[in-house]
Amino acid sequence: MQPVVTVEHLRKSYGSQRVIEDISLAIQPGEIFGIVGANGAGKTTTIECMVGLRQPSGGAIRVLGLDPQRDGAALRERIGVQLQSAALPDRLRVGEALELFSSFYQRPQPWRDLLEQWGLAEKRNTAFAALSGGQKQRLFIALSLINDPEIVFLDELTTGLDPQARRTTWDLIEDIRARG
């Protein structure tokens, strides 16, 4: 089986400061893969390079056979991304956000289903600013799944979630993997 993500000798520097030095990895289809390290170790930067948001200083990356820098538009149709730090306009309502994001993709999944799946149905008409931290996090996860991606990159997935919500989130991730 071919890996769905391959990173070879990834390097990233900001001026003279090296953030990532010689990371190599391969992720297989159906695998849940985690990057663990101390704050400032380069985990988020590595993810941002893999999804094409940052230009690596060196090395090679392939995601679903595509180069994230060269094939960014095609890659974004096939992956989902939930970033560590994200925001939406304060007055944007949950349902509006999901409907808007679904319009960005050629084949989105029904966004109302994601409302139910991620426990946001009651919050459909609630403004982003009025959501709790955990509800915002669940909304960002739902937004990362709107295009029915082949791969989902989740950065700091359970930040802001209480212990029960964390367990529920992991159960939903396992369910998504089980469905392919």
Side-chain angles (χ1 to χ4, degrees), residues 59-77:
I61 300 172
R62 290 283 177 269
V63 178
L64 299 169
L66 301 171
D67 178 321
Q69 294 299 312
R70 191 181 63 235
D71 306 313
L75 184 61
R76 282 186 290 280
E77 281 290 326

Side-chain angles (χ1 to χ4, degrees), residues 9-22 40-42 45 57-58:
H9 307 291
L10 178 64
R11 293 185 323 275
K12 179 64 181 170
S13 298
Y14 298 103
S16 63
Q17 182 182 3
R18 283 227 168 135
V19 179
I20 301 171
E21 186 170 344
D22 198 25
T45 301
S57 301

Side-chain angles (χ1 to χ4, degrees), residues 96-116:
E96 292 171 336
L98 285 159
E99 186 174 19
L100 173 65
F101 274 60
S102 73
S103 74
F104 299 157
Y105 300 101
Q106 293 176 19
R107 291 181 298 280
Q109 62 176 311
W111 59 267
R112 287 172 186 86
D113 293 351
L114 289 169
L115 276 175
E116 291 291 332

Side-chain angles (χ1 to χ4, degrees), residues 30-89:
E31 185 174 11
I32 295 175
F33 186 91
I35 300 173
V36 179
N39 290 341
K43 300 178 300 293
T44 294
T45 301
T46 299
I47 290 171
E48 289 172 347
C49 289
M50 288 192 288
V51 302
L53 293 175
R54 291 208 186 272
Q55 175 77 41
S57 301
I61 300 172
R62 290 283 177 269
V63 178
L64 299 169
L66 301 171
D67 178 321
Q69 294 299 312
R70 191 181 63 235
D71 306 313
L75 184 61
R76 282 186 290 280
E77 281 290 326
R78 299 177 63 190
I79 66 171
V81 180
Q82 172 266 330
L83 298 171
Q84 177 181 3
S85 179
L88 292 170

